[in-house]
Amino acid sequence: MAHANLLTPPARIPPQTALQLSQKAALVLSSAPTSSLPWPLSLLFSRETPETWAIHENLLLAALRTGDDAAARQILDRLTTRFGAYNERMIALKGVYDEALAKDDKDLEKVFNDYEKVLKDDPTNISVRKRRIAVLKSLGRTADAITALTVLVENSPTDAEAWAELSELYASTGAWGQAIFCLEEVLLMMPNAWSAHAQVATLHYLSSSASVPALTLALRHFARAVELNDSYLRGYYGLKLVSQKLLPLLSESSGSKRNADEDDVAPPKLQSVKKLEEIATAKLGEIVRKYSASKKSQSGYYEAEIIAARELLDRDGRSER
Amino acid sequence: MGQPLVQTIHRDPALFWWILLPITVVMVLTGILRHYAMILLQTAPKKQELPKIRQQRALVRGINLRGNANVLSPASFQARKAYMVSAFQEGKFLAEPDARGKPRPNPMSDPAAMEGMMGMMKGNMAMMIPQTLIMGWINAFFSGFVITPCSLAISRHLANRCCPTVKLPFPLTPQFKSMLQSGVGTRDLDVRWVSSLSWYFLTLFGLQPVYNFILGSNNSANNVTQQMAMANPGAGLMGPEQDPDKLFLSEAENLEVLEHRWILDGIEDRLIAKMAA
């Protein structure tokens, strides 16, 4: 894993990294971000840059995550003195802080009511809208969260984050069709995001793991993910899993002539699926081998993923024997 | 003409301290002052209303669909296209559905546009007023200067007008004369001599890197070019002068005629070929 950096933290922060990040709080807090000189001089000799505040913001999130509430409070105060309490972003950050410190559902309800008030004054504050949805989620009101998110994407349909979140919520309720639709919106915005391709594939796979058209789509999206990133473990994992499921179905149906025009996607050729399965197996084996040979922190893979891949390979080996 | 004479003008060394340096320092300070004045004069960008945001982003969504349609399977693309085209044609995403089909109001009467113009006016004023003042100051103080004994005959004559204050350390072609010796009416004076008024102009246009160094690259100290660029704000995607309904209709048409090709078609063979290679 790359060295944790507060300015550009990784997209996915595992607990250890979060801890590493929040331990930098003392360092950041030890030096004042703004100059202590009187007014005209402070303009000339200011050390603050936009990066200073990006670091503060990321540190705040890391500190809240690791339970360092005192440091979080200090950072929040700094940000508030700099940007004022009514800054759009500050309202959202303050909300994050309140949410993290909420002890029970009652506290969360209170935060939720605050958000409602803010939104009544300014319905365009998208970040507060998102926080409100997050509170709904942590209160367990998934249906309400979905409704709120549909309103959000209705008003701001270019928000990939919101679409992805909505997809996840739909998937958690088992509404696969809607979930897939939402993720396809994400794909339309970022057509080369291999993780989004893999996620679409996963949803197709989960939606019906025994029908050929769904599995075909899953296979193709996994293949696309691998095509975009040829060291993408999740892509190979999915490729192998799906093709294993697909092989018996295809060989079954190849005997009886299927009416292919019914589906809008033609099923792949048996040969190709076999080949893909072999490729995925070989690649997974290679990744697992390399991972155990090299230093674990440098390979860029997460241990859990490697364990899952190894397990999949083992299962395969056992069934062959 | 034989060898060109090397012109020497015996300048008072105090010229450097009393003309060159003050002009430069004053110019730098005005730039810094202007930067902060601009920050103070700036009004926060006006918040867009929710329907406006929705209108603009819906259009972007349509453009996204057109641009990246090849990630979708044919069925899901057709469904989306049908929905978007009909929604666009019905004007479902318009911020003001009632204003559909009516001619656009005159931008001069639109208060939002007026505000933008006021902002521009303020910027222009912040640029013009100091310039006028400083130019007047330079003319008043530094042009009637008499330098102490000058060896050349011409110096008598130019001393009344505007004195050469600095000599550039490199040779220049005569074309620079008008640039470097404004206010000096001599033909034969070496181009390398720079008059104080010209020095003012040089600093006016040439201090941008200095401001960048002092104030950061994003400053508004010397924003001649910025003013030019700002003359036509928001002319891009959904400017005030464009009818959103027309944009939606043309986007619907674009979607109608789009030829769809699914990028996942034949991906298996593509991947196998890639991996084999």
Side-chain angles (χ1 to χ4, degrees), chain B residues 49-74:
Chain B
E49 287 151 32
L50 206 54
K52 281 261 166 67
I53 295 177
R54 174 161 168 250
Q55 169 182 290
Q56 194 216 340
R57 294 194 179 166
L59 186 65
V60 174
R61 186 184 176 198
I63 294 172
N64 272 342
L65 174 61
R66 176 158 54 93
N68 300 327
N70 53 12
V71 296
L72 294 179
S73 65

mmCIF file of all heavy atoms in Angstrom, chain B residues 49-74:
data_model
loop_
_atom_site.group_PDB
_atom_site.id
_atom_site.type_symbol
_atom_site.label_atom_id
_atom_site.label_comp_id
_atom_site.label_asym_id
_atom_site.label_seq_id
_atom_site.Cartn_x
_atom_site.Cartn_y
_atom_site.Cartn_z
ATOM 1 N N GLU B 49 -30.347 28.709 -8.877
ATOM 2 C CA GLU B 49 -31.492 28.048 -8.270
ATOM 3 C C GLU B 49 -31.550 26.596 -8.710
ATOM 4 O O GLU B 49 -31.002 26.224 -9.736
ATOM 5 C CB GLU B 49 -32.771 28.769 -8.676
ATOM 6 C CG GLU B 49 -32.921 30.102 -7.984
ATOM 7 C CD GLU B 49 -33.714 31.064 -8.827
ATOM 8 O OE1 GLU B 49 -34.604 30.597 -9.554
ATOM 9 O OE2 GLU B 49 -33.424 32.266 -8.776
ATOM 10 N N LEU B 50 -32.250 25.830 -7.888
ATOM 11 C CA LEU B 50 -32.293 24.389 -8.132
ATOM 12 C C LEU B 50 -32.800 24.032 -9.528
ATOM 13 O O LEU B 50 -32.193 23.202 -10.213
ATOM 14 C CB LEU B 50 -33.137 23.729 -7.044
ATOM 15 C CG LEU B 50 -32.802 22.274 -6.769
ATOM 16 C CD1 LEU B 50 -31.339 22.126 -6.460
ATOM 17 C CD2 LEU B 50 -33.631 21.753 -5.626
ATOM 18 N N PRO B 51 -33.895 24.630 -9.998
ATOM 19 C CA PRO B 51 -34.353 24.271 -11.350
ATOM 20 C C PRO B 51 -33.328 24.572 -12.428
ATOM 21 O O PRO B 51 -33.177 23.811 -13.388
ATOM 22 C CB PRO B 51 -35.605 25.142 -11.533
ATOM 23 C CG PRO B 51 -36.030 25.515 -10.183
ATOM 24 C CD PRO B 51 -34.806 25.563 -9.344
ATOM 25 N N LYS B 52 -32.559 25.657 -12.222
ATOM 26 C CA LYS B 52 -31.525 26.001 -13.204
ATOM 27 C C LYS B 52 -30.438 24.944 -13.212
ATOM 28 O O LYS B 52 -29.965 24.514 -14.259
ATOM 29 C CB LYS B 52 -30.921 27.363 -12.854
ATOM 30 C CG LYS B 52 -31.774 28.531 -13.275
ATOM 31 C CD LYS B 52 -31.263 29.109 -14.588
ATOM 32 C CE LYS B 52 -32.251 30.057 -15.232
ATOM 33 N NZ LYS B 52 -32.461 31.275 -14.475
ATOM 34 N N ILE B 53 -30.027 24.531 -12.006
ATOM 35 C CA ILE B 53 -29.002 23.495 -11.903
ATOM 36 C C ILE B 53 -29.493 22.231 -12.593
ATOM 37 O O ILE B 53 -28.765 21.594 -13.363
ATOM 38 C CB ILE B 53 -28.689 23.200 -10.418
ATOM 39 C CG1 ILE B 53 -28.063 24.407 -9.748
ATOM 40 C CG2 ILE B 53 -27.775 21.999 -10.295
ATOM 41 C CD1 ILE B 53 -27.789 24.211 -8.290
ATOM 42 N N ARG B 54 -30.745 21.916 -12.321
ATOM 43 C CA ARG B 54 -31.318 20.697 -12.882
ATOM 44 C C ARG B 54 -31.321 20.772 -14.404
ATOM 45 O O ARG B 54 -30.933 19.833 -15.093
ATOM 46 C CB ARG B 54 -32.737 20.571 -12.347
ATOM 47 C CG ARG B 54 -33.498 19.448 -12.932
ATOM 48 C CD ARG B 54 -34.682 19.111 -12.047
ATOM 49 N NE ARG B 54 -35.555 18.220 -12.742
ATOM 50 C CZ ARG B 54 -36.757 18.576 -13.186
ATOM 51 N NH1 ARG B 54 -37.180 19.806 -13.008
ATOM 52 N NH2 ARG B 54 -37.503 17.698 -13.799
ATOM 53 N N GLN B 55 -31.720 21.929 -14.917
ATOM 54 C CA GLN B 55 -31.778 22.109 -16.358
ATOM 55 C C GLN B 55 -30.413 21.896 -16.991
ATOM 56 O O GLN B 55 -30.259 21.160 -17.961
ATOM 57 C CB GLN B 55 -32.285 23.522 -16.623
ATOM 58 C CG GLN B 55 -32.160 23.980 -18.049
ATOM 59 C CD GLN B 55 -32.658 25.410 -18.176
ATOM 60 O OE1 GLN B 55 -33.836 25.652 -18.067
ATOM 61 N NE2 GLN B 55 -31.770 26.342 -18.391
ATOM 62 N N GLN B 56 -29.404 22.511 -16.367
ATOM 63 C CA GLN B 56 -28.078 22.426 -16.965
ATOM 64 C C GLN B 56 -27.531 21.009 -16.885
ATOM 65 O O GLN B 56 -26.974 20.487 -17.837
ATOM 66 C CB GLN B 56 -27.164 23.396 -16.232
ATOM 67 C CG GLN B 56 -25.890 23.633 -16.977
ATOM 68 C CD GLN B 56 -24.728 23.804 -16.036
ATOM 69 O OE1 GLN B 56 -24.918 24.112 -14.862
ATOM 70 N NE2 GLN B 56 -23.546 23.578 -16.529
ATOM 71 N N ARG B 57 -27.727 20.371 -15.716
ATOM 72 C CA ARG B 57 -27.142 19.044 -15.554
ATOM 73 C C ARG B 57 -27.881 17.995 -16.370
ATOM 74 O O ARG B 57 -27.286 17.009 -16.798
ATOM 75 C CB ARG B 57 -27.122 18.667 -14.074
ATOM 76 C CG ARG B 57 -26.190 19.593 -13.343
ATOM 77 C CD ARG B 57 -25.836 19.126 -11.972
ATOM 78 N NE ARG B 57 -24.900 20.103 -11.389
ATOM 79 C CZ ARG B 57 -24.593 20.147 -10.122
ATOM 80 N NH1 ARG B 57 -25.097 19.285 -9.279
ATOM 81 N NH2 ARG B 57 -23.738 21.034 -9.673
ATOM 82 N N ALA B 58 -29.182 18.226 -16.565
ATOM 83 C CA ALA B 58 -29.918 17.288 -17.412
ATOM 84 C C ALA B 58 -29.357 17.322 -18.826
ATOM 85 O O ALA B 58 -29.217 16.283 -19.481
ATOM 86 C CB ALA B 58 -31.397 17.639 -17.418
ATOM 87 N N LEU B 59 -28.998 18.513 -19.265
ATOM 88 C CA LEU B 59 -28.417 18.619 -20.605
ATOM 89 C C LEU B 59 -27.073 17.900 -20.657
ATOM 90 O O LEU B 59 -26.772 17.169 -21.610
ATOM 91 C CB LEU B 59 -28.254 20.089 -20.973
ATOM 92 C CG LEU B 59 -27.795 20.341 -22.395
ATOM 93 C CD1 LEU B 59 -28.846 19.872 -23.366
ATOM 94 C CD2 LEU B 59 -27.476 21.793 -22.611
ATOM 95 N N VAL B 60 -26.282 18.087 -19.604
ATOM 96 C CA VAL B 60 -24.982 17.413 -19.567
ATOM 97 C C VAL B 60 -25.177 15.898 -19.568
ATOM 98 O O VAL B 60 -24.423 15.157 -20.200
ATOM 99 C CB VAL B 60 -24.184 17.854 -18.324
ATOM 100 C CG1 VAL B 60 -22.917 17.043 -18.204
ATOM 101 C CG2 VAL B 60 -23.856 19.324 -18.409
ATOM 102 N N ARG B 61 -26.214 15.463 -18.886
ATOM 103 C CA ARG B 61 -26.492 14.031 -18.848
ATOM 104 C C ARG B 61 -26.778 13.521 -20.258
ATOM 105 O O ARG B 61 -26.307 12.454 -20.655
ATOM 106 C CB ARG B 61 -27.684 13.784 -17.945
ATOM 107 C CG ARG B 61 -27.968 12.327 -17.726
ATOM 108 C CD ARG B 61 -29.219 12.187 -16.901
ATOM 109 N NE ARG B 61 -29.583 10.806 -16.737
ATOM 110 C CZ ARG B 61 -30.808 10.433 -16.356
ATOM 111 N NH1 ARG B 61 -31.730 11.346 -16.126
ATOM 112 N NH2 ARG B 61 -31.093 9.165 -16.226
ATOM 113 N N GLY B 62 -27.552 14.310 -21.008
ATOM 114 C CA GLY B 62 -27.819 13.926 -22.389
ATOM 115 C C GLY B 62 -26.550 13.850 -23.206
ATOM 116 O O GLY B 62 -26.344 12.914 -23.974
ATOM 117 N N ILE B 63 -25.676 14.814 -22.983
ATOM 118 C CA ILE B 63 -24.413 14.827 -23.733
ATOM 119 C C ILE B 63 -23.572 13.625 -23.342
ATOM 120 O O ILE B 63 -22.945 12.981 -24.186
ATOM 121 C CB ILE B 63 -23.667 16.146 -23.478
ATOM 122 C CG1 ILE B 63 -24.471 17.303 -24.058
ATOM 123 C CG2 ILE B 63 -22.292 16.110 -24.098
ATOM 124 C CD1 ILE B 63 -23.942 18.663 -23.698
ATOM 125 N N ASN B 64 -23.581 13.311 -22.043
ATOM 126 C CA ASN B 64 -22.838 12.133 -21.581
ATOM 127 C C ASN B 64 -23.359 10.871 -22.243
ATOM 128 O O ASN B 64 -22.585 10.008 -22.667
ATOM 129 C CB ASN B 64 -22.988 11.977 -20.071
ATOM 130 C CG ASN B 64 -21.945 12.751 -19.325
ATOM 131 O OD1 ASN B 64 -20.927 13.124 -19.905
ATOM 132 N ND2 ASN B 64 -22.194 13.014 -18.066
ATOM 133 N N LEU B 65 -24.680 10.773 -22.307
ATOM 134 C CA LEU B 65 -25.277 9.589 -22.902
ATOM 135 C C LEU B 65 -24.831 9.461 -24.346
ATOM 136 O O LEU B 65 -24.485 8.380 -24.817
ATOM 137 C CB LEU B 65 -26.799 9.681 -22.814
ATOM 138 C CG LEU B 65 -27.572 8.577 -23.513
ATOM 139 C CD1 LEU B 65 -27.224 7.240 -22.902
ATOM 140 C CD2 LEU B 65 -29.070 8.804 -23.418
ATOM 141 N N ARG B 66 -24.801 10.594 -25.032
ATOM 142 C CA ARG B 66 -24.402 10.560 -26.442
ATOM 143 C C ARG B 66 -22.926 10.165 -26.566
ATOM 144 O O ARG B 66 -22.556 9.376 -27.414
ATOM 145 C CB ARG B 66 -24.635 11.938 -27.047
ATOM 146 C CG ARG B 66 -24.190 12.081 -28.465
ATOM 147 C CD ARG B 66 -24.927 13.225 -29.115
ATOM 148 N NE ARG B 66 -24.795 14.474 -28.363
ATOM 149 C CZ ARG B 66 -23.855 15.380 -28.608
ATOM 150 N NH1 ARG B 66 -22.989 15.174 -29.568
ATOM 151 N NH2 ARG B 66 -23.791 16.488 -27.903
ATOM 152 N N GLY B 67 -22.111 10.743 -25.675
ATOM 153 C CA GLY B 67 -20.675 10.523 -25.820
ATOM 154 C C GLY B 67 -20.231 9.136 -25.414
ATOM 155 O O GLY B 67 -19.322 8.568 -26.007
ATOM 156 N N ASN B 68 -20.858 8.583 -24.385
ATOM 157 C CA ASN B 68 -20.362 7.319 -23.847
ATOM 158 C C ASN B 68 -21.354 6.193 -24.032
ATOM 159 O O ASN B 68 -21.363 5.227 -23.277
ATOM 160 C CB ASN B 68 -20.055 7.472 -22.362
ATOM 161 C CG ASN B 68 -19.005 8.530 -22.127
ATOM 162 O OD1 ASN B 68 -18.125 8.703 -22.964
ATOM 163 N ND2 ASN B 68 -19.112 9.235 -21.035
ATOM 164 N N ALA B 69 -22.217 6.321 -25.035
ATOM 165 C CA ALA B 69 -23.282 5.331 -25.200
ATOM 166 C C ALA B 69 -22.738 3.929 -25.420
ATOM 167 O O ALA B 69 -23.432 2.956 -25.151
ATOM 168 C CB ALA B 69 -24.169 5.731 -26.368
ATOM 169 N N ASN B 70 -21.492 3.839 -25.867
ATOM 170 C CA ASN B 70 -21.022 2.508 -26.232
ATOM 171 C C ASN B 70 -20.764 1.586 -25.054
ATOM 172 O O ASN B 70 -20.485 0.414 -25.248
ATOM 173 C CB ASN B 70 -19.768 2.606 -27.109
ATOM 174 C CG ASN B 70 -18.715 3.450 -26.480
ATOM 175 O OD1 ASN B 70 -18.826 3.790 -25.298
ATOM 176 N ND2 ASN B 70 -17.692 3.801 -27.220
ATOM 177 N N VAL B 71 -20.874 2.072 -23.816
ATOM 178 C CA VAL B 71 -20.722 1.140 -22.690
ATOM 179 C C VAL B 71 -22.030 0.413 -22.400
ATOM 180 O O VAL B 71 -22.039 -0.537 -21.635
ATOM 181 C CB VAL B 71 -20.251 1.833 -21.393
ATOM 182 C CG1 VAL B 71 -18.884 2.413 -21.557
ATOM 183 C CG2 VAL B 71 -21.235 2.881 -20.956
ATOM 184 N N LEU B 72 -23.119 0.884 -22.976
ATOM 185 C CA LEU B 72 -24.413 0.297 -22.651
ATOM 186 C C LEU B 72 -24.756 -0.823 -23.614
ATOM 187 O O LEU B 72 -24.407 -0.774 -24.788
ATOM 188 C CB LEU B 72 -25.500 1.359 -22.737
ATOM 189 C CG LEU B 72 -25.417 2.470 -21.704
ATOM 190 C CD1 LEU B 72 -26.547 3.447 -21.923
ATOM 191 C CD2 LEU B 72 -25.486 1.905 -20.317
ATOM 192 N N SER B 73 -25.486 -1.799 -23.093
ATOM 193 C CA SER B 73 -25.975 -2.844 -23.981
ATOM 194 C C SER B 73 -27.095 -2.233 -24.837
ATOM 195 O O SER B 73 -27.723 -1.260 -24.440
ATOM 196 C CB SER B 73 -26.518 -4.002 -23.153
ATOM 197 O OG SER B 73 -27.640 -3.586 -22.443
ATOM 198 N N PRO B 74 -27.318 -2.794 -26.038
ATOM 199 C CA PRO B 74 -28.286 -2.179 -26.948
ATOM 200 C C PRO B 74 -29.639 -1.943 -26.298
ATOM 201 O O PRO B 74 -30.225 -0.859 -26.472
ATOM 202 C CB PRO B 74 -28.387 -3.202 -28.079
ATOM 203 C CG PRO B 74 -27.092 -3.908 -28.061
ATOM 204 C CD PRO B 74 -26.619 -3.926 -26.646
#
